[in-house]
Amino acid sequence: MNALGPRETSQGRHESPEERADRRWNDLLQEVRVIQTGVQILFGFLLTVVFTPRFATLGQTDQTIYVVTVLLGAATTGALIGTVTFHRLVTGHRLKPETVLWAARLSMVGIVLLLATVTSALLLILRIAMDDSAVPWIVGGLVGWFILCWFALPTWVLRRSSARE
């Protein structure tokens, strides 16, 4: 028994493949709902920046970073919304397990794109706010933190759990 309670055994839950697919779909949908809210806020903010008076005063490099950031934000939105549209288009064709698999892959692509979007947005904002040579180091440190939280820690837990079995 660990701090969170008894570990799931290799037998797992007693559910049919359809029940498992339904459960996994509901889990995925909740995860996408959480992340999509943040993406929508970030993307909405990014879309307004070009219309501010300050945008015209930005140098070419900062304007390029802005365009890249907006494109990454759009790609992130597309991948995350793609999880739902994928489901909607194949519903009723008895493809739930495949739908969950592909929607999960799309959501992971969305998360990687979100990392790139946030990185780019941080780079732009800190370049403007600080005008300092420390900006790349700060952004790099934050990217490292995101990678640790979003990818490294879950991977470590999975490997640690697999090694015990």
Side-chain angles (χ1 to χ4, degrees):
M1 180 159 340
N2 63 26
L4 299 176
R7 286 187 26 143
E8 188 173 299
T9 65
S10 60
Q11 296 172 0
R13 299 172 186 219
H14 299 289
E15 55 190 6
S16 70
E18 292 82 14
E19 290 170 330
R20 182 178 305 108
D22 287 340
R23 177 181 52 81
R24 292 172 107 185
W25 173 253
N26 287 330
D27 290 348
L28 180 62
L29 188 59
Q30 291 301 327
E31 293 163 1
V32 170
R33 282 181 181 154
V34 168
I35 199 168
Q36 185 63 32
T37 301
V39 168
Q40 287 173 334
I41 292 167
L42 176 60
F43 189 54
F45 168 76
L46 288 170
L47 291 176
T48 66
V49 169
V50 73
F51 299 106
T52 64
R54 174 83 192 257
F55 184 79
T57 67
L58 294 180
Q60 184 60 45
T61 300
D62 290 332
Q63 287 185 7
T64 300
I65 294 170
Y66 169 77
V67 169
V68 168
T69 305
V70 168
L71 293 173
L72 287 168
T76 303
T77 301
L80 293 174
I81 291 174
T83 60
V84 177
T85 57
F86 193 100
H87 178 264
R88 182 57 22 223
L89 291 172
V90 300
T91 293
H93 295 279
R94 300 176 192 254
L95 296 171
K96 189 64 145 285
E98 294 89 345
T99 300
V100 172
L101 175 67
W102 284 101
R105 289 175 177 169
L106 272 174
S107 70
M108 188 53 68
V109 167
I111 290 167
V112 171
L113 286 168
L114 177 60
L115 176 62
T117 305
V118 170
T119 300
S120 187
L122 282 170
L123 180 63
L124 177 62
I125 291 166
L126 293 178
R127 278 176 53 94
I128 293 168
M130 296 177 65
D131 195 30
D132 190 336
S133 62
V135 168
W137 295 102
I138 294 168
V139 172
L142 287 167
V143 169
W145 175 249
F146 294 146
I147 290 171
L148 177 69
C149 294
W150 296 0
F151 303 105
L153 184 58
T155 300
W156 176 75
V157 169
L158 282 173
R159 287 187 178 167
R160 189 171 176 224
S161 174
S162 295
R164 288 184 191 165
E165 292 177 358

